[in-house]
Amino acid sequence: MSYDSNNIFARILRQEIPCKKIHENNFGLAFHDINPKAPIHALVIPRGAYTSSLDFHEKASTEEITGFYRFVSDVVRLLDLPEKGYRLLSNHGTAAGQEVPHYHVHIFGGKPLGPMLKES
Ligand code: AMP
């Protein structure tokens, strides 16, 4: 999958459209999901142009990877989640239901989160 520079998160990074920002640094931007699935539902995105976790893990520099995941943990602390518990999730591709083709990590918290996957 090639990177679409007009995807919605690329446009948020370029400040062409607004977001409810939680935190940012040189490696990433965190903001509240527009359609939250839990009382706390944050999205964390790297600044670089990566389509998904696979793309990021294979192509990003060691500095970007370390910086990004440390930033994810900074956001978890800002949201006061370490003691309460939280879930990180990232979708890749159609079967997982990825909607936005810019790598992002979901952070869920604020209530008991139930089973990891919906029972079928
Ligand atoms: P995914 O299905 O993993 O690609 O998740 C994409 C997420 O982005 C969904 O939870 C959407 O609700 C969220 N989303 C889409 N557009 C926006 C936006 N403009 N601001 C914040 N969250 C968004």
Side-chain angles (χ1 to χ4, degrees):
M1 188 202 300
S2 63
Y3 185 79
D4 169 13
S5 58
N6 278 323
N7 77 73
I8 195 120
F9 293 171
R11 298 186 65 205
I12 287 175
L13 279 169
R14 291 196 297 269
Q15 300 184 348
E16 291 170 7
I17 56 170
C19 70
K20 284 174 67 182
K21 185 165 70 180
I22 299 167
H23 193 33
E24 66 179 324
N25 71 9
N26 289 341
F27 297 102
L29 171 68
F31 49 95
H32 293 284
D33 197 289
I34 205 166
N35 183 20
K37 302 285 195 297
I40 295 173
H41 183 175
L43 297 169
V44 191
I45 66 177
R47 291 204 177 273
Y50 302 101
T51 55
S52 76
S53 54
L54 188 71
D55 196 28
F56 184 65
H57 297 161
E58 289 181 346
K59 295 189 188 144
S61 68
T62 303
E63 186 189 15
E64 278 177 289
I65 291 171
T66 305
F68 178 71
Y69 286 109
R70 291 243 160 87
F71 178 68
V72 171
S73 290
D74 292 345
V75 176
V76 163
R77 287 201 180 280
L78 266 178
L79 294 171
D80 200 25
L81 290 172
E83 301 302 322
K84 297 168 185 156
Y86 61 94
R87 181 173 293 160
L88 301 184
L89 181 147
S90 183
N91 295 314
H92 170 102
T94 314
Q98 183 180 3
E99 291 170 14
V100 180
H102 180 110
Y103 176 43
H104 50 284
V105 174
H106 297 256
I107 303 173
F108 298 104
K111 70 168 189 179
L113 294 169
M116 196 150 50
L117 287 179
K118 190 176 169 191
E119 310 281 334
S120 56

